[in-house]
Amino acid sequence: MTTTTSPRSTASWQAADAAHFLHPFTDFQALAAKGSRVITRGDNIYIWDSEGHKLLDAISGLWCVNVGYGQRALIDAATRQMETLPFYNSFFQTTTMPAVELAELLSSVSPPGFKHVFFSGSGSEGNDTVLRMVRRYWDLLGQPQRKVIISRKNAYHGSTVAGASLGGMSYMHAQGDLPIPDIVHIEQPFAFQLGQGMSRADFGLLAASWLEDKINELGADRVAAFIGEPIQGAGGVIIPPETYWPEVQRICDKHGVLLVSDEVICGFGRTGSWFGCETMGFKPDLMTFAKGVTSGYIPLGGVMVGARIAKVLIEQGGEFEHGYTYSGHPVACAVGLANVKLIQQLGLVDHVRDDVGPYLAQKYAELADHPLVGEASSCGLMAALQLVKNKTTSMPFASELEVGMLCRSHCFGNGLVMRAVGDRMIIAPPLVITRAQVDELAGLIKRCLDLTLADVHTRGWLN
Ligand SMILES: *Cc1c(COP(=O)(O)O)cnc(C)c1O
């Protein structure tokens, strides 16, 4: 065995990374040529890379670090549970205390009617569980032909076979013959793209009517469920008009269709309520969660099961032939428990709803005046800036110019992590962010927009 005394250089980490680690959603060869940024530590809303650069992490890791980095309560909870019982299964009529306690706590913070939880290891697995449960529900009710799940284009529901099928990302469907049968997609409620010239309220009703059109086309007796994110996250922080979700609810109720809210991003305070469906005004039958349940400190996901489905599964179902080795993992649940309690202790849901959420909205209203910005929108601590070539006509840049990526690289260069979805710049900062840090964030965004504007100007892309 050899021991090295000098620490590995960034280049050496990058070389080993490129040689062995296939990253998710990555062009392997292109990344190898460029080299990964090596992130070494985090504290509060900031992260540092191996070259010592400090970055304000405005995307919370990947929409998950709701309580920020370095929270002692979560670290201690994991340590204690690992020392006591690092793992035990819940398959064979056994349970563990952290799983029970977290299940209890989750039902207490969920909307009324959600008394049960099925645990998974991730959001994708949670949506696999949704698919299994929804179809099982209709089988048990003697309507096995009710199989079709309606979702939306540009939705993100994960990357397993069921998750990617439920999702509406065409570039994902293009690889691996997806979606699987009996999953269909309607258009998304994206007012900026599809509702120009209409009031937001009217567009919301129109977008919801596409669901009813699809139900009528298929026949309601074939439709099992509708699934959606209250606010589409990975699709570009697309905030539907206020009229949308209540109308979707009305349509689902009318046709007996189950309603599933994918709360993987919107859950745990992100929108200023415990769950996004509460902010958007609807009452789902199932809620998928992951990410914010542990603030990303450890993998955990699951499905909150509402009364309508729980009753049938429990009273008529017999054995449900589904589960994961890590369903109710004691360490993950202990961290989830500490995380949810910390959100309560710090009052983060109110902090988002009453303080930093409205304050961020104010800052975004100012950013809306920037010449590059065609639309600025936010809800709680999710926000988007649509970059456009022409502010008055909302004309977009040609997509091959990759103006969003240009802006993103200015962000990295100036100490800010902001994500680009096409030319839509999106953020979802940790919920612990303060007003002073929102000022810092808005200042960084402004500087990066100015630098991007100067670039597109120099390159003659504004003409
Ligand atoms: C991230 C995400 C998922 C998938 O969660 P994983 O933990 O990556 O499997 C599902 N739905 C939504 C809305 C997400 O944002």
Side-chain angles (χ1 to χ4, degrees), residues 63 121-125 127 156-159 229 234 262 264-265 290-291:
W63 317 91
S122 69
S124 303
E125 288 178 5
N127 282 326
Y156 190 77
H157 296 302
S159 196
E229 305 151 80
D262 184 337
V264 172
I265 287 177
K291 296 190 171 115

Side-chain angles (χ1 to χ4, degrees), residues 25 62-63 120-127 155-160 163 227-235 261-266 288-291 299-301 419:
F25 288 95
L62 197 51
W63 317 91
S120 68
S122 69
S124 303
E125 288 178 5
N127 282 326
Y156 190 77
H157 296 302
S159 196
T160 52
I227 185 171
E229 305 151 80
I231 295 171
Q232 284 152 267
S261 185
D262 184 337
E263 297 277 353
V264 172
I265 287 177
C266 293
T288 320
F289 64 87
K291 296 190 171 115
L300 179 66
R419 188 168 161 193

Side-chain angles (χ1 to χ4, degrees), residues 37-307:
R37 185 182 305 269
V38 184
I39 305 301
T40 53
R41 72 186 182 91
D43 184 37
N44 184 241
I45 66 166
Y46 304 98
I47 55 170
W48 282 262
D49 71 17
S50 56
E51 298 290 281
H53 298 120
K54 179 184 178 186
L55 299 145
L56 192 164
D57 181 12
I59 200 77
S60 300
L62 197 51
W63 317 91
C64 50
V65 188
N66 288 12
V67 297
Y69 298 93
Q71 292 284 5
R72 183 44 58 187
L74 278 65
I75 301 162
D76 288 346
T79 308
R80 270 196 313 273
Q81 189 57 42
M82 283 212 184
E83 285 166 352
T84 318
L85 182 70
F87 178 75
Y88 202 73
N89 77 71
S90 46
F91 278 43
F92 308 127
Q93 310 194 344
T94 52
T95 194
T96 64
M97 290 173 190
V100 176
E101 279 189 85
L102 181 59
E104 249 178 347
L105 185 57
L106 288 178
S107 72
S108 82
V109 299
S110 294
F114 286 98
K115 293 291 164 244
H116 296 88
V117 57
F118 196 100
F119 286 116
S120 68
S122 69
S124 303
E125 288 178 5
N127 282 326
D128 277 55
T129 298
V130 162
L131 182 119
R132 296 285 303 273
M133 250 182 209
V134 157
R135 291 194 175 159
R136 178 75 182 143
Y137 170 84
W138 289 114
D139 281 352
L140 288 168
L141 291 185
Q143 300 183 54
Q145 78 291 347
R146 271 211 191 233
K147 275 199 194 347
V148 180
I149 301 181
I150 302 176
S151 178
R152 299 169 308 171
K153 293 181 184 165
N154 198 36
Y156 190 77
H157 296 302
S159 196
T160 52
V161 169
S165 294
L166 289 168
M169 301 297 185
S170 51
Y171 54 89
M172 289 173 74
H173 293 166
Q175 299 181 356
D177 292 317
L178 302 177
I180 55 173
D182 293 325
I183 294 176
V184 301
H185 300 83
I186 59 172
E187 263 300 349
Q188 55 182 331
F190 188 6
F192 183 81
Q193 204 175 71
L194 303 168
Q196 290 287 346
M198 296 180 76
S199 75
R200 268 183 74 80
D202 286 349
F203 175 71
L205 295 176
L206 174 68
S209 77
W210 299 330
L211 172 60
E212 189 151 42
D213 293 347
K214 184 55 85 178
I215 293 173
N216 288 332
E217 177 194 321
L218 293 160
D221 61 337
R222 286 189 56 214
V223 181
F226 176 70
I227 185 171
E229 305 151 80
I231 295 171
Q232 284 152 267
V237 181
I238 291 155
I239 304 167
E242 277 179 24
T243 49
Y244 179 75
W245 276 111
E247 179 65 3
V248 165
Q249 169 100 64
R250 190 192 65 76
I251 292 166
C252 288
D253 289 350
K254 177 177 161 197
H255 296 280
V257 169
L258 294 168
L259 182 51
V260 185
S261 185
D262 184 337
E263 297 277 353
V264 172
I265 287 177
C266 293
F268 302 96
R270 174 63 56 201
T271 68
S273 311
W274 275 97
F275 292 92
C277 58
E278 297 168 292
T279 303
M280 292 289 142
F282 68 103
K283 295 188 168 66
D285 297 296
L286 295 171
M287 300 194 297
T288 320
F289 64 87
K291 296 190 171 115
V293 67
T294 56
S295 285
Y297 279 49
I298 198 163
L300 179 66
V303 181
M304 293 306 301
V305 184

